[in-house]
Amino acid sequence: MTDLAPVADEVTPEQHRRLRWALVLISLAQLMVVLDSTIANIALPYIGTDLDIDQANLSWIVTGYALTFGGFLLLGGRLADLYGRRRIFIAGVLVFAVASLVGGFAQNEVMLLGARGLQGLGAAMASPAALALITTTFPAGRERNRAFAVYAAMAGVGAAVGLILGGWLTGLDPILGLEGWRYTFLIVVPIGLAAAFFAPRFFNESERHTGWLDVPGAITGTGGLLAIVYGLSRAGDERYGWGDTTTVASLVVGVALLGLFLLVESRVEHPLMPFRIFRSRNRATAFAVMMIVPAAMFAMFFFLSLFIQLVVGYSPLGTGVAFLPFSVAMIVSATLASRLISHVDPRYLSGVGTLLSATALYGFSRITVPEDPASILASLPEAMGGQGVALGDGVSYWTQVLPFVVLMAFGMGLNFVPLTLVAVHHLRIQDTGIGSGVLNTMQQVGGALGLATLSTVSLHFAQTRADELAPAIAAAAPELDPAALGQLASLGAFTEGATTAFFVGSLMMLAASAIVWLFLDVEHEELASESAPEGVGVH
């Protein structure tokens, strides 16, 4: 067991101060990474207008980041193990900051999309290194649990804050000659520079381990993940779907490359992804569940933000503010989980968390809006003969949305903290970076797969309902042109698709809960120690 981190001495006040600032840096870096997955969403129409980007290519501003982030995570994690976690962390946040600066001053589509891809690469280096730094910097027990709680909370807080900041910054009048949307990129530049500047002061450099970079594994693994993430993102786009030739080809190539990657890993002396990290049943269970849990969270943000804007009639900023309670509840929940994990087994925390999340998604699936032609036509502006009343005007945020947003946040906090702790606990020192990379990859790929699947479900049911509504709307307003008729039918049917997706998402969370209750059996006393009992698979 000599390869495990040694038990730390009692933390002195000076060490406690240093750990506190180290946690601030890790939190800022993780917030920066997650923030940029959503902050540009609301700004897309403005970006398209200013840079003359075709509507079909606007989605690449979001997809390009997700693609490189998810595709390079394994490589980023292994680089941290081989060449030093602090070094790769600093390099990652610097790459991210520079790419954000380029994106903020982008003059054309190629420049902006290139910056987004470079942001994803920086995130893929910084995120697993940050998680590995928690494992190697903070002693097991209260200090490490608190660090994991803050790290986990940033996953949800960053996404919600991204929507709020994106809505606010996009709506600003030009400042210093720069349009508001540009600040959705520029705002993270000082965060990245500060994290890089202060990291050497609060993190010790990890030991560089023997071995060399597995180049064939890096090429096949990274290529396979890039193809999989691209295919899943394309499948979730209603313009393409699962039957699109490029979607299918990308997924097939991705699966083939990952198969080749597994073959390569089984034969090389120093693999990019050592199979030993999967020997622990508890760790494998945590990885599996962490593929499902983010899918539910991403689906909630995606469908609920669209529902609140399109159907209930909220402004972009109002939509972001509507998610603010999620951030607060996520922080409370993660803090609570970090304290309970010292007294309660992860099975019970995560088991309850998945059930809470399933309940929240089911609650969203029960939202209804009027679907009769009169109500749908009333949503038209007065200039077009309508009343300008939002179709979901009768939906109460306080009773039909807010309670389930808070419930979802509590479920996420109770999941992320114990599962993250289980996933990286008892890993060899030389494997903490790649272990963190695998965990982040599971989250990214799982989120993309879940969103693509639920988007397909939503589109199918919404289209079916729109086909049913169109004749009735046409009969009530025969003067409508086909384009307006199609838009109204789609608006009336959107809730049907979204609520069905929420229901399927709740079933996914119930499946995750079953996995937790059946297979996760690590005890909380074990998580509070550095030494691993026989048979936990650290060898």
Side-chain angles (χ1 to χ4, degrees):
M1 302 302 171
T2 57
D3 55 351
L4 294 168
V7 178
D9 297 328
E10 187 70 23
V11 177
T12 65
E14 176 61 25
Q15 289 173 324
H16 182 75
R17 184 189 70 84
R18 184 175 181 180
L19 290 176
R20 184 173 65 246
W21 282 107
L23 182 56
V24 169
L25 289 184
I26 289 175
S27 302
L28 286 175
Q30 182 65 1
L31 177 65
M32 176 182 71
V33 167
V34 179
L35 189 75
D36 257 52
S37 65
T38 58
I39 194 171
N41 290 22
I42 295 176
L44 292 181
Y46 301 87
I47 296 174
T49 300
D50 286 345
L51 298 186
D52 193 25
I53 300 177
D54 184 81
Q55 184 68 31
N57 291 333
L58 273 180
S59 62
W60 273 103
I61 297 174
V62 176
T63 303
Y65 178 75
L67 185 64
T68 51
F69 185 19
F72 285 97
L73 274 167
L74 287 182
L75 180 60
R78 201 52 178 166
L79 288 174
D81 285 335
L82 291 176
Y83 304 113
R85 291 168 198 114
R86 188 182 72 181
R87 183 177 292 106
I88 297 301
F89 174 80
I90 293 173
V93 294
L94 282 177
V95 168
F96 196 99
V98 171
S100 300
L101 186 65
V102 173
F105 288 99
Q107 299 301 305
N108 53 57
E109 178 180 343
V110 173
M111 191 174 176
L112 181 60
L113 294 183
R116 285 295 276 174
L118 198 59
Q119 278 185 317
L121 176 61
M125 297 168 66
S127 192
L131 187 54
L133 282 170
I134 291 178
T135 304
T136 55
T137 301
F138 294 83
R142 184 178 62 181
E143 295 287 348
R144 187 178 297 176
N145 293 347
R146 183 177 65 173
F148 276 128
V150 174
Y151 180 90
M154 290 303 105
V157 171
V161 171
L163 290 174
I164 299 170
L165 278 177
W168 175 60
L169 291 171
T170 300
L172 291 177
D173 292 329
I175 302 174
L176 301 177
L178 298 176
E179 297 85 354
W181 67 262
R182 294 185 180 276
Y183 289 96
T184 63
F185 296 97
L186 297 176
I187 195 172
V188 298
V189 174
I191 298 177
L193 294 178
F197 179 78
F198 288 106
R201 290 159 175 76
F202 300 109
F203 295 120
N204 293 323
E205 182 56 278
S206 60
E207 178 184 352
R208 293 181 62 172
H209 297 289
T210 58
W212 54 84
L213 183 62
D214 170 22
V215 176
I219 294 174
T220 54
T222 301
L225 286 173
L226 286 170
I228 289 288
V229 174
Y230 174 70
L232 292 175
S233 300
R234 193 175 175 91
D237 190 325
E238 64 181 41
R239 294 170 300 168
Y240 308 112
W242 293 94
D244 176 70
T245 303
T246 303
T247 299
V248 174
S250 180
L251 292 173
V252 170
V253 170
V255 170
L257 284 174
L258 289 182
L260 184 59
F261 168 71
L262 295 177
L263 179 63
V264 169
E265 299 306 275
S266 67
R267 296 172 180 269
V268 297
E269 183 178 357
H270 299 285
L272 179 73
M273 187 181 70
F275 290 150
R276 58 179 174 266
I277 67 174
F278 295 100
R279 290 176 185 168
S280 165
R281 188 181 76 175
N282 289 316
R283 186 178 300 119
T285 298
F287 284 155
V289 176
M290 283 297 261
M291 283 192 69
I292 303 174
V293 170
M297 186 177 73
F298 292 159
M300 183 205 70
F301 280 120
F302 180 77
F303 291 109
L304 194 59
S305 62
L306 288 177
F307 175 80
I308 290 176
Q309 287 187 85
L310 300 178
V311 181
V312 183
Y314 278 35
S315 67
L317 179 57
T319 300
V321 172
F323 284 105
L324 184 59
F326 183 93
S327 300
V328 177
M330 184 79 173
I331 293 173
V332 173
S333 175
T335 302
L336 177 63
S338 72
R339 295 177 179 176
L340 290 176
I341 196 66
S342 299
H343 309 283
V344 181
D345 291 349
R347 170 190 290 175
Y348 301 109
L349 291 179
S350 184
V352 171
T354 48
L355 291 176
L356 289 179
S357 299
T359 302
L361 289 168
Y362 180 75
F364 290 132
S365 75
R366 304 298 296 170
I367 297 176
T368 58
V369 298
E371 293 185 345
D372 59 283
S375 297
I376 295 175
L377 289 169
S379 67
L380 285 170
E382 294 183 6
M384 298 179 64
Q387 300 173 26
V389 178
L391 186 59
D393 185 60
V395 174
S396 170
Y397 171 78
W398 301 104
T399 61
Q400 294 176 274
V401 177
L402 178 61
F404 300 114
V405 167
V406 173
L407 195 63
M408 188 73 174
F410 266 90
M412 291 295 103
L414 292 179
N415 273 299
F416 279 128
V417 174
L419 291 177
T420 301
L421 191 57
V422 171
V424 299
H425 193 58
H426 287 156
L427 277 172
R428 289 184 170 194
I429 289 294
Q430 61 264 43
D431 291 337
T432 54
I434 187 59
S436 302
V438 171
L439 178 63
N440 279 279
T441 300
M442 294 295 180
Q443 292 175 320
Q444 288 297 310
V445 174
L449 176 59
L451 191 54
T453 302
L454 294 179
S455 293
T456 302
V457 170
S458 174
L459 182 62
H460 171 75
F461 281 88
Q463 188 59 56
T464 301
R465 186 61 180 149
D467 291 341
E468 296 172 353
L469 291 174
I473 298 173
E479 70 279 4
L480 285 176
D481 61 76
L485 176 62
Q487 290 178 353
L488 284 176
S490 296
L491 175 64
F494 179 83
T495 303
E496 175 80 13
T499 53
T500 304
F502 285 134
F503 179 73
V504 175
S506 71
L507 297 180
M508 291 168 57
M509 289 305 299
L510 288 177
S513 189
I515 294 172
V516 168
W517 291 110
L518 289 173
F519 300 109
L520 193 64
D521 64 357
V522 63
E523 298 178 352
H524 65 273
E525 293 91 351
E526 184 181 327
L527 293 180
S529 68
E530 293 283 5
S531 58
E534 293 299 326
V536 297
V538 296
H539 306 289

